[in-house]
């Protein structure tokens, strides 16, 4: 008697997706859970940003904030909200989204949850270039700092990429080389600061803490323009990024040229951190934690750029709100210090988790 084996038409991996089909044979697949989580994160980021508009040396009620946003109420209240606090609130959302996107790009390329710009060392490269620009060249205007951050990050990325290339680039090797390069650049930064004048050293130290308090419309508008360019580029390369997660051979089988797509994604990833670093200084661990936290909430098989962006925006907005609250009861604390403190705990947990998985 012959036995028949029934092959399922579709394998259930535990992820619930919905598919929309049109008459032109175009199918759009999406996850209802991902859309719900992204919507919640967006609401959280915007709500927290609005709450932060009322906190400061001159506190405002929610009604006064809303009136000021719609051009009503007292002139002085509108000045506080729209000119002083609104750029910072928008920066928290935008910068967090950019850092989340950068983290998603590098974690996808390295296929490792530790693969983020601040761990690999690209942030350190941007930091070194800015320190050289301020201390050696003596230029502290925004455009000089922005250009230095971008060039420094790209040069560091090229060096790390070349040093880790052995007939191809493996994610673990890239991370190890990046950590070494970051340590070397950190020593250079420390030497430059110790040799600088006290006023210049204090200026660099304040910038290096990572703070949104000095962000204004003059420095936010260029980041918005650059961020739009990055968003467009990442959207166009998102399918290639998903294929590269499976390996170069699998990506090539799907028609993706890894030798072209990977450098372009690398440039976009460095640009996300360079834009933020130029405007606010290095803000660590948002790029590291946002993609993995978003992945666990959405329960997707891999890191997704959109969810990482929403999670990054929510995380940095919450960190900025916490910074404002602490300033009211104690003294001003840079948001970068808060993200590093909380991110350090996350990194310890992640290392312990990865170690247990490898045993």
């Amino acid at each position: 008697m012959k036995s028949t084996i029934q092959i399922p038409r579709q394998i259930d991996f535990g992820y619930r997706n919905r598919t929309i089909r049109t008459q032109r044979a175009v199918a759009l697949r999406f996850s209802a859970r991902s859309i719900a989580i992204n919507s919640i994160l967006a609401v959280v980021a915007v709500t927290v940003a609005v709450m932060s508009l009322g906190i400061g040396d001159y506190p405002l009620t929610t009604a006064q904030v809303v009136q000021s946003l719609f051009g009503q109420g007292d002139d002085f209240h509108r000045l506080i909200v729209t000119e002083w606090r609104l750029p910072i609130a928008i920066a928290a959302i935008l910068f967090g989204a950019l850092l989340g996107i950068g983290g998603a790009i590098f974690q996808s390329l390295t296929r490792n949850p530790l693969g983020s710009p601040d761990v690999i060392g690209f942030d350190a490269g941007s930091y070194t270039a800015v320190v050289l620009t301020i201390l050696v060249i003596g230029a502290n205007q925004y455009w000089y700092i922005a250009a230095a951050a971008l060039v420094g990050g790209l040069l560091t990325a090229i060096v790390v990429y070349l040093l880790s290339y052995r007939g191809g680039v493996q994610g673990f090797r890239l991370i190890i080389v990046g950590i070494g390069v970051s340590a070397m650049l950190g020593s250079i930064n420390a030497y430059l600061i110790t040799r600088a004048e006290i006023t210049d050293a204090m200026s660099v130290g304040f910038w290096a803490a990572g703070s949104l308090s000095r962000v204004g419309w003059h420095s936010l508008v260029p980041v918005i323009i650059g961020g739009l360019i990055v968003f467009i580029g990442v959207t166009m390369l998102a399918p290639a990024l998903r294929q590269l997660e499976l390996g170069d051979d699998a990506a090539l089988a799907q028609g993706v040229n890894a030798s072209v797509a990977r450098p372009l994604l690398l440039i976009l990833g460095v640009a996300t951190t360079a834009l933020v670093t130029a405007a606010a200084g290095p803000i660590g661990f948002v790029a590291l934690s946002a993609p993995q936290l978003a992945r666990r909430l959405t329960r997707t098989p891999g890191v997704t750029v959109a969810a990482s962006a929403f999670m990054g925006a929510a995380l940095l907005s919450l960190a900025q709100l916490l910074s404002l609250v602490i300033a009211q009861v104690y003294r001003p604390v840079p948001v970068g210090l808060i993200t590093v403190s909380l991110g350090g705990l996350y990194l310890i947990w992640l290392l312990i988790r990865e170690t247990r998985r490898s045993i």
Side-chain angles (χ1 to χ4, degrees):
M1 181 177 180
K2 296 183 179 180
S3 60
T4 59
I5 301 176
Q6 294 183 353
I7 301 176
R9 297 179 61 185
Q10 184 176 3
I11 301 176
D12 186 2
F13 291 99
Y15 305 107
R16 297 293 179 261
N17 295 322
R18 301 291 185 270
T19 303
I20 298 177
R21 300 184 183 276
T22 64
Q23 295 180 353
R24 296 184 179 182
V26 177
L28 176 63
R29 176 171 292 184
F30 63 92
S31 169
R33 181 182 179 87
S34 297
I35 293 178
I37 294 298
N38 291 343
S39 301
I40 293 173
L41 291 174
V43 171
V44 169
V46 174
T47 302
V48 171
V50 174
M51 292 174 58
S52 66
L53 295 177
I55 302 176
D57 294 335
Y58 192 92
L60 298 174
T61 64
T62 304
Q64 291 172 333
V65 170
V66 174
Q67 289 177 353
S68 300
L69 290 175
F70 286 95
Q72 302 174 359
D74 187 81
D75 292 340
F76 184 59
H77 293 170
R78 291 201 302 271
L79 175 65
I80 294 176
V81 172
T82 60
E83 295 297 329
W84 296 349
R85 297 178 182 175
L86 185 58
I88 297 176
I90 295 176
I93 296 176
L94 177 60
F95 293 0
L98 287 172
L99 292 174
I101 291 173
I105 290 175
F106 286 111
Q107 290 182 17
S108 297
L109 291 178
T110 60
R111 297 191 290 274
N112 193 308
L114 293 176
S116 69
D118 39 9
V119 174
I120 298 177
F122 300 157
D123 280 1
S126 298
Y127 180 26
T128 302
V130 172
V131 170
L132 289 172
T133 302
I134 295 176
L135 298 183
V136 178
I137 301 177
N140 55 5
Q141 292 82 5
Y142 171 79
W143 290 108
Y144 289 104
I145 294 177
L150 181 59
V151 172
L154 288 175
L155 289 178
T156 305
I158 293 173
V159 171
V160 172
Y161 188 87
L162 292 177
L163 291 177
S164 59
Y165 188 86
R166 294 292 184 276
V169 177
Q170 295 182 357
F172 182 75
R173 186 190 300 128
L174 184 71
I175 293 173
I176 295 300
V177 172
I179 292 175
V181 172
S182 178
M184 181 187 67
L185 292 175
S187 63
I188 295 175
N189 296 336
Y191 173 78
L192 291 174
I193 293 176
T194 55
R195 300 291 296 179
E197 297 291 337
I198 184 64
T199 55
D200 294 335
M202 291 179 61
S203 176
V204 172
F206 178 74
W207 175 85
S211 175
L212 300 179
S213 60
R214 57 182 175 272
V215 175
W217 290 115
H218 66 285
S219 58
L220 183 60
V221 172
V223 181
I224 293 176
I225 297 174
L228 288 176
I229 297 174
V230 170
F231 290 153
I232 295 173
V234 172
T235 301
M236 295 175 61
L237 293 174
L241 181 63
R242 296 302 300 271
Q243 297 299 330
L244 288 173
E245 288 187 70
L246 304 176
D248 292 357
D249 294 336
L252 183 61
Q254 296 295 326
V256 177
N257 190 345
S259 60
V260 175
R262 181 176 282 108
L264 291 177
L265 288 167
L266 191 66
I267 292 173
L268 290 174
V270 173
T272 59
T273 58
L275 288 170
V276 176
T277 302
I283 299 177
F285 289 100
V286 175
L288 174 69
S289 58
Q292 294 301 316
L293 293 176
R295 179 189 175 192
R296 281 161 175 76
L297 286 178
T298 57
R299 297 179 183 176
T300 54
V303 173
T304 57
V305 175
S308 301
F310 285 113
M311 177 60 74
L315 287 178
L316 192 54
S317 297
L318 288 169
Q320 176 61 19
L321 179 63
L322 181 59
S323 174
L324 294 174
V325 172
I326 294 175
Q328 296 302 304
V329 298
Y330 182 57
R331 63 180 60 180
V333 177
V335 68
L337 180 61
I338 295 177
T339 58
V340 168
S341 301
L342 299 179
L345 297 176
Y346 170 80
L347 180 60
I348 293 173
W349 172 82
L350 184 61
L351 290 173
I352 294 174
R353 179 176 177 273
E354 291 298 317
T355 302
R356 290 177 177 176
R357 288 180 58 183
S358 61
I359 295 177

